[in-house]
Amino acid sequence: AMHIIADASGLSEIEIDIASMENFAKELLRLTLPENIKIAFITKTLIQYSYAESFRIILDHPQMKAGVFQNEQDAREWLSGESD
């Protein structure tokens, strides 16, 4: 599986709404990926966490899983594990 760390902890502004996130997640459903993908979001603030967690919840692609973490160590542990 491909592993991606998306560090959102430095973001000071987020300019996407939930409807746009839902549309993006629906577009992802059209993709057939060559391998499974795990995305670990790293967040520091409540707003960063809320957006990342919202995306994790609406992500419905059978080949993609997302997790939300407060630090890189936890993100890497989740990415290297077999389970969620």
Side-chain angles (χ1 to χ4, degrees):
M2 178 185 291
H3 296 163
I4 298 170
I5 292 182
D7 188 348
S9 63
L11 294 178
S12 59
E13 293 183 32
I14 299 174
E15 295 184 16
I16 187 170
D17 57 25
I18 297 299
S20 297
M21 249 191 274
E22 287 177 332
N23 288 336
F24 180 64
K26 287 177 185 174
E27 289 296 318
L28 288 175
L29 279 173
R30 297 179 183 194
L31 300 177
T32 301
L33 306 170
E35 61 184 316
N36 292 341
I37 296 176
K38 287 177 84 174
I39 306 168
F41 290 98
I42 300 172
T43 64
K44 296 285 184 212
T45 68
L46 181 58
I47 192 74
Q48 292 166 355
Y49 173 84
S50 298
Y51 272 85
E53 184 66 10
S54 296
F55 184 73
R56 185 196 66 78
I57 290 169
I58 63 175
L59 181 65
D60 195 28
H61 196 289
Q63 291 181 272
M64 297 180 83
K65 292 183 183 176
V68 182
F69 306 92
Q70 292 183 341
N71 60 67
E72 187 173 342
Q73 180 180 345
D74 290 347
R76 289 191 183 281
E77 286 177 15
W78 177 75
L79 287 172
S80 66
E82 292 298 317
S83 65
D84 301 331

